[in-house]
Structures are given as C-alpha cells and as structure tokens.
Amino acid sequence: MSDKQTGDKLTGTVNQGRRRFLAGSAAVGAASVAGAAGMAGVGALTHSQPAKAQANGSAANIHVAPGELDEYYGFWSGGKSGEVRIYGVPSMREIMRIPVFNHCSASGYGQTNETKRILGDSAKYFNGDAHHPHISYTDGSHDGRYLFINDKANTRVARVRLDVFKTDAMVTVPNVQAIHGLRLQKAPRTNYVFANAEYLIPQPNDGRDINDPTKYHTMWNAIDADTMEVKWQVIVDGNLDNMDTDYTGKYAAATCYNSEGAVTLPGTMRNERDWVTVFSIERIEQAVAEGNYITIGDSDVPVVDGRKSAGLNVTRYVPVPKNPHGLNTSTDGKYFIAAGKLSPTVTMIEIAKLDDLFEGNLSDERDVVVGEPELGLGPLHTTYDGRGNAYTTLFIDSQVVKWNMEDAVRHYNGEDVNYIRQKIDVHYQPGHNHATLSESKDADGKYLFSLNKFSKDRYLPVGPLHPENDQMIDISGEEMVLLHDTPTFAEPHDAVIIRRDQIQTKQIWERNDPYFAATVARAQEDGVTLETDNVVIRDGNQVRVYMTSVAPNFGLTEFTVKQGDEVTVTITNLDRVEDLTHGFCVVNHGVSMEISPQQTSSVTFTADRPGVFWYYCNWFCHALHMEMKGRMLVEPA
Ligand code: K7E
Ligand code: CUA
Ligand code: CA
C-alpha cells in the first residue's frame, strides 16, 4: 500500500495537496471508510495507520500509565533553541530540559558564576544550534556517563553529565567555523569526541585571503573526551557534513557535499560525485607523535595536513554520488552507510576493507563500496534494528524506507533480489531518524522515531510558525506501524535513545561536587563555611553575600549594599530532601537561579539603583514558599 513509485520530480517543497491525495486514495483502496471525502481526494487526512496500530494492540503498549516509568531515556537535540530535551520513551512525556548553548530563565544557566565558568568566553552568546547528541561508550555499548553535542552556530562542543543532567564542559574549536557532524569513539572507550567543521575559511582567517576561495579550507577535529581539550585537527579537501565512527576505534568517516570547494550553492552542485572522507585515527596520531604537523595563528593545536596533495595517507576520499548527507555506522559494525540526498541511493562502505585501502592494496577507492541500493528520493539519514535491516529517511518522498543490508549487497553483486522491505508515509519530510539503542551494538529494534521537519495540519494551528513533528513507529514486527505523533519546537535535529538502566542519576548533590568547587574555594578564601555561615563581606566595591537556605527560610532576610556595588550572592541549600529545590530571584535586577538540595549556586550583579529590592524563592518548596523572601537595601552612593 505504501510501496508507491518514486517518480516525482526532484523538489524540495512540501506538496501538501499530494500527500492529502495519497492518503485519501489509500483509504479508498483499503476499506473506503473515508467514503466520499476519500474519493474526492480532499478533506481531512485519513487515520488508516493509527487505526491499524490499535487493531494489533501496539498503541496500547505505548501508554505508560500515570505513575509508571518509561522504558527508555530519549535525548533530543534542541536545534537552534540550543538545548537538550529529555523524553521518556515510549510515552513521549517531556521529562526535563538541559540548557546547553542557550541561557535559561529558570535555572540561571548562563548567568550563575558556576555556569559562566563552563561557558567561558562564549558566555556572551545567547544562542546555539545543537544538532547531534551522542552518549559515551565503553566497548561499543553506551556507558551513560556523558552526552556530547555540537553547536553549529558558534563552533562549540559541549559535554553534559548524565549523573546530574547538567552541562559541565564546553570548548570553542579554534581555526574552524560551524561544527556540524559530531560522533564519539565507540571502542575501547570514548577517548575522543570527533567534530566536523562544515564551512571553508581562509587559514589563518585574519583578513588576508578573504577574496581567494582557493585558500579556504576546513578541518576534522579531535577533542579529548575527559579533558575537553582540542587534541589535534586535520585539514581536508572539500568540506565535512555528517560523520560516524566504527566499532573498533580505528576509523571514522564523514560525508563531503562540497568536493568542489565552492562558496556558492551552484558551485557545490557542479561535480557529479563528491566523496566520503575516511580517517585513520592511528595514522593521524602517529603523524602528531612524529611532529608531522603545523600550528595556525595563536592556536597551539597540532594541525595535520590530510589533503590528497599532502600525501600523508591519513585520509582517503571515496567517491560517492553528489552531495551526500547522513553517515551512519551499522550496528553490526560492518558498514559506513552514506545517504545520497541528491541521489536516490545510499552507499555502503565495508569497514573491513579499510585496512587494505590505507595499505594501498586496492586499485581504486571505490573498491570499498559493497552496496549502493536505490531507496527513493532524498535519502538523508539511516538507523538500524539490529536484525540486519536499515531504515532510511526519504526527505522528498516524505517516507521512511525499511531495507535489508545483506540483500542490498547481493543485489550490488548482480543477484536478482529485492532489498526493499517496506515504505511508510511520515508527516512530513523527515530529516534524522533514530531507533532505540541504534548507535550502539545493543540495538534492540523496538521503536523508531522519524524527526519530521514539517507538521502542517497535524496539530491545532498556532499561527505561521509551526512545530516540527516527531513520529514514533513500531519496528518490532515485520511491518512498520505508525504509533504516535509528538510536536517539537525548533528544531530537534537528532536524538539518541538508551535503556533506563544505562543511566544512574544522583538524587541530591554531593557537597564535594566539582560543579561548584570553584565557588566553595572562593568562600574558603573569605574564611566562610558555606554550610553554616550567613555573612556579608565587603571588599572595596565588591560585596559577597553568603547565605544558606532551609525551607522556607533564607539564612539572611536582609542585607545592605551601596549603590554601584558589584554584589555576589552565594546560596547553599542545606535541605537534603529529594526534589526540594529553592530559587533566588532579585526583583527588577534580572537575577534568577536554581539551588537544588545540597547545591551551592552564586550570581554576580550590580546594585545600580538605591532603594529597597525584594528577593524571593522562585522554585516552589514549601507551604510557606510565598513567604520565603528578603530585602536587599541599597544605600545611595
Ligand atoms: Cu539537519 Cu544531522 Cu545537522 Cu541531517 S543534520 S537533516
Ligand atoms: Cu524555597 Cu520556594
Ligand atoms: Ca557537491
């Protein structure tokens, strides 16, 4: 029924009329419950797929009853909203949001001294563009320690601690612009975070070569996952879009849509073929160890030349059809699979052949290609069920196609086999997709999410700006079945879903947590014991206010400063009760922060006007929460 022909013209626009017509005619063909509306090809979308889900009982399985817990944690990137969102899967209840590249009114992320230290020089930016969240590994399985994510907008990589669900480290990658594809070393453990810089810029980018695009280059970057320092960079031919790593820790591969090295859209479409760039991690490490690198500008990060012309044999460029996009490693560890985007194909690279490629035992780079199945229009990203099937999003066809990898290889070898298993309509136009545990060797093939870029008519209208639409599909059986729609706001690109037992969280903070260790050290310099003292310390025009909080009281119900003072308020929440978070908000000063049980938080601001300014607790904590407040008395200068 949904295995329709894919002969439409290549078009990037959403054709809502076409989708409605297809939905209508499908209903007519099937059971004709839509009646005249279906025959006329107009009217509301039919609900044939959810109806089927109910019929076979799948829809009942995704109802997680009140008070019950989900089976999986889902981590969604927040796109240009800059955050990470946590969903319970399969209920798709949003459990938490983690501010990463954005600032947060509720928690004070981006404003407190603890989070400003994490953001460093980039604390001045209020935006980010978070695309690719990935969870750390030990031996190809998720170990639940960290989540890493890129910021395309401001060229950053961030790390989120999964014991407290807080961003704890960030680095701005030097010498490059726009970190896009990001992946982690999967084995033996995540020692490196690898990051693609997408855009070409002059090297060094100091204004001298702005009019000479032949001098523009970009780099592949390795960040130490434990220290979050950039370890080395590799200059490449062309650009870098998405990437993935293998399951041995030896290789990574990235798509390049701009082998032309162009700086205009028509220019990036000129070549019939672009390539997948393959990186040999050990050969790059060896080049660095042997001093075979340069440094650029005032950065001291080793830069290895991975261009073909340099002849260092640290990279290989495998030709693939023009302008590829997603690159996803199959969970059996066998293939790098690159999605064609402008070609209806995906290209399967056999990872076991890469040693031979680098050792010069193959006559042609294309010899590592073992399959190139034709799937439909606009293939963007692929995910896996751990049973030999792959699922690729088709942006232009607005479908997810299920196909069998070994059959695709046999077809490439000339056998007459059909590798396509099923195509299912999604609503509308998917980018990434992701199946449960599908970035690890533990892929369990239960739920697949199609992250669709447009929701059109799926929800109550909210004006010109629409939400996106993430659809949950049951892939546990032979046939894919659509289970559930979830609206999401601008713009989750990608997701990663792991079992709930793979994450161990803390219920309350430990007093020696590194998250606020620098604030504790500062207090010790002032001779202050945070757990007991409520004091005000004047140091020139800097005033440091230390207080405790125990529901429903702040340790100080008033403090006095002078107009023009730089005031730092440090609060330690002495409550040990799970879920008993306090807040600190100063009226008319733009100051607000979270202080969770046993946490210390601090914020610095200027008392710029004389008068009385109330501060209050803005996280509901007690029956007398409204009464938890105090006065800042500002004496005129
Ligand atoms: Cu939008 Cu992964 Cu940045 Cu594809 S990426 S759709
Ligand atoms: Cu403390 Cu509300
Ligand atoms: Ca191209």
Side-chain angles (χ1 to χ4, degrees):
M1 161 190 128
S2 51
D3 211 341
K4 72 180 184 65
Q5 293 305 305
T6 54
D8 309 55
K9 282 273 176 314
L10 206 77
T11 163
T13 58
V14 186
N15 188 335
Q16 188 179 326
R18 186 196 71 155
R19 175 60 73 225
R20 286 192 164 173
F21 176 75
L22 285 170
S25 49
V28 172
S32 199
V33 277
M39 254 177 282
V42 294
L45 286 155
T46 62
H47 295 282
S48 54
Q49 285 154 344
K52 191 159 67 180
Q54 266 145 24
N56 73 9
S58 301
N61 296 338
I62 66 167
H63 178 68
V64 180
E68 301 216 328
L69 303 182
D70 281 285
E71 230 180 311
Y72 302 91
Y73 284 98
F75 298 83
W76 260 241
S77 64
K80 55 250 180 207
S81 58
E83 64 192 4
V84 167
R85 297 158 192 167
I86 319 300
Y87 291 93
V89 175
S91 74
M92 288 308 283
R93 298 178 295 198
E94 186 184 279
I95 303 171
M96 186 46 70
R97 297 179 168 202
I98 306 174
V100 183
F101 303 114
N102 56 325
H103 287 199
C104 176
S105 169
S107 65
Y109 182 85
Q111 179 175 58
T112 65
N113 295 316
E114 296 69 43
T115 55
K116 277 179 158 171
R117 282 180 205 117
I118 292 160
L119 287 157
D121 291 342
S122 70
K124 60 183 181 285
Y125 301 135
F126 283 60
N127 75 312
D129 191 4
H131 286 213
H132 301 118
H134 297 293
I135 291 173
S136 55
Y137 296 87
T138 301
D139 294 327
S141 294
H142 292 297
D143 58 23
R145 291 180 301 132
Y146 292 118
L147 176 142
F148 298 87
I149 191 162
N150 72 300
D151 171 20
K152 179 168 169 175
N154 296 307
T155 316
R156 291 176 288 183
V157 174
R159 184 175 71 185
V160 174
R161 274 172 57 183
L162 295 183
D163 59 341
V164 289
F165 280 54
K166 297 284 184 198
T167 305
D168 89 315
M170 195 169 300
V171 61
T172 301
V173 183
N175 300 326
V176 295
Q177 274 177 25
I179 296 298
H180 187 229
L182 176 135
R183 290 283 185 164
L184 314 177
Q185 198 173 23
K186 295 187 176 76
R189 73 187 280 277
T190 299
N191 292 317
Y192 288 121
V193 178
F194 298 114
N196 286 350
E198 184 175 347
Y199 295 148
L200 309 179
I201 55 170
Q203 303 291 348
N205 191 24
D206 58 5
R208 77 181 78 162
D209 290 322
I210 53 178
N211 290 314
D212 185 1
T214 64
K215 298 248 174 72
Y216 293 13
H217 297 291
T218 194
M219 301 186 201
W220 191 62
N221 309 281
I223 296 154
D224 184 311
D226 297 309
T227 64
M228 288 296 280
E229 285 167 4
V230 182
K231 296 295 279 189
W232 37 259
Q233 304 180 285
V234 181
I235 299 184
V236 294
D237 288 311
N239 79 339
L240 296 165
D241 187 5
N242 280 292
M243 65 164 294
D244 206 345
T245 56
D246 71 352
Y247 279 85
T248 70
K250 277 176 79 174
Y251 294 107
T255 48
C256 162
Y257 63 77
N258 188 9
S259 62
E260 299 87 348
V263 291
T264 63
L265 172 60
T268 62
M269 312 266 283
R270 221 181 305 121
N271 292 351
E272 270 317 302
R273 287 196 156 170
D274 289 294
W275 53 60
V276 167
T277 307
V278 182
F279 298 90
S280 164
I281 295 159
E282 359 176 89
R283 284 167 189 269
I284 295 164
E285 285 176 326
Q286 195 185 338
V288 172
E290 288 169 0
N292 220 336
Y293 63 81
I294 58 167
T295 58
I296 294 176
D298 47 15
S299 153
D300 56 6
V301 176
V303 177
V304 175
D305 195 342
R307 288 175 289 179
K308 296 175 192 175
S309 58
L312 278 185
N313 200 27
V314 295
T315 55
R316 289 287 176 154
Y317 297 84
V318 179
V320 297
K322 65 157 54 172
N323 291 41
H325 183 61
L327 195 139
N328 301 80
T329 308
S330 59
T331 53
D332 55 14
K334 284 188 185 168
Y335 309 112
F336 287 138
I337 297 185
K341 190 167 75 181
L342 295 190
S343 159
T345 57
V346 297
T347 301
M348 304 172 71
I349 292 173
E350 188 174 343
I351 293 168
K353 290 189 191 290
L354 295 177
D355 284 350
D356 277 340
L357 179 66
F358 277 91
E359 283 158 22
N361 300 333
L362 302 179
S363 56
D364 189 296
E365 250 99 13
R366 284 282 297 180
D367 289 349
V368 299
V369 174
V370 296
E372 206 151 64
E374 186 167 335
L375 301 177
L377 295 185
L380 289 185
H381 294 278
T382 299
T383 189
Y384 306 95
D385 63 9
R387 297 187 295 269
N389 300 304
Y391 301 77
T392 300
T393 52
L394 302 173
F395 179 82
I396 294 164
D397 282 337
S398 227
Q399 291 182 316
V400 172
V401 50
K402 174 180 178 181
W403 56 282
N404 183 271
M405 291 186 282
E406 290 324 305
D407 283 352
V409 172
R410 289 164 65 201
H411 179 86
Y412 192 74
N413 290 332
E415 283 184 54
D416 183 22
V417 286
N418 182 10
Y419 44 79
I420 304 263
R421 293 293 185 266
Q422 188 197 353
K423 292 184 179 183
I424 190 170
D425 290 342
V426 293
H427 312 85
Y428 301 88
Q429 304 206 272
H432 277 267
N433 61 355
H434 184 89
T436 41
L437 291 156
S438 63
E439 289 177 7
S440 72
K441 64 183 188 190
D442 308 314
D444 65 1
K446 278 184 86 166
Y447 301 108
L448 176 145
F449 285 84
S450 176
L451 277 59
N452 307 307
K453 300 299 185 188
F454 303 90
S455 62
K456 291 278 160 186
D457 46 11
R458 302 291 280 191
Y459 302 108
L460 289 175
V462 287
L465 179 64
H466 292 212
E468 279 92 50
N469 186 24
D470 292 350
Q471 290 186 301
M472 180 161 55
I473 293 168
D474 180 352
I475 58 167
S476 62
E478 278 301 298
E479 214 184 325
M480 294 184 277
V481 180
L482 178 61
L483 297 177
H484 187 63
D485 278 19
T486 301
T488 54
F489 177 64
E491 169 203 14
H493 270 254
D494 193 6
V496 53
I497 303 169
I498 72 175
R499 286 192 320 271
R500 71 184 194 204
D501 62 84
Q502 292 177 297
I503 300 237
Q504 309 296 332
T505 61
K506 296 195 160 113
Q507 305 288 8
I508 61 175
W509 289 90
E510 283 169 37
R511 287 298 304 146
N512 61 357
D513 197 284
Y515 196 75
F516 44 79
T519 304
V520 173
R522 186 69 193 84
Q524 278 163 357
E525 280 175 44
D526 278 337
V528 168
T529 303
L530 288 170
E531 293 79 5
T532 52
D533 296 351
N534 290 287
V535 290
V536 178
I537 292 173
R538 173 167 289 281
D539 177 3
N541 71 340
Q542 297 185 334
V543 177
R544 289 185 288 280
V545 180
Y546 292 97
M547 66 174 103
T548 57
S549 67
V550 180
N553 291 296
F554 286 119
L556 294 172
T557 52
E558 62 174 72
F559 61 85
T560 304
V561 300
K562 287 200 173 59
Q563 182 184 6
D565 280 347
E566 182 194 281
V567 181
T568 298
V569 176
T570 302
I571 300 183
T572 299
N573 181 354
L574 297 182
D575 281 304
R576 302 192 57 91
V577 180
E578 180 181 349
D579 205 4
L580 211 166
T581 293
H582 296 289
F584 177 76
C585 175
V586 186
V587 174
N588 288 359
H589 280 71
V591 166
S592 173
M593 66 182 181
E594 161 209 357
I595 318 119
S596 278
Q598 295 290 303
Q599 185 178 13
T600 293
S601 302
S602 70
V603 61
T604 300
F605 58 96
T606 302
D608 55 358
R609 284 148 291 161
V612 173
F613 298 95
W614 287 89
Y615 54 88
Y616 68 97
C617 173
N618 58 356
W619 284 80
F620 205 104
C621 57
H622 191 276
L624 294 172
H625 159 76
M626 292 299 291
E627 287 82 345
M628 187 167 171
K629 62 190 179 202
R631 288 172 302 150
M632 176 172 74
L633 311 173
V634 185
E635 296 172 349

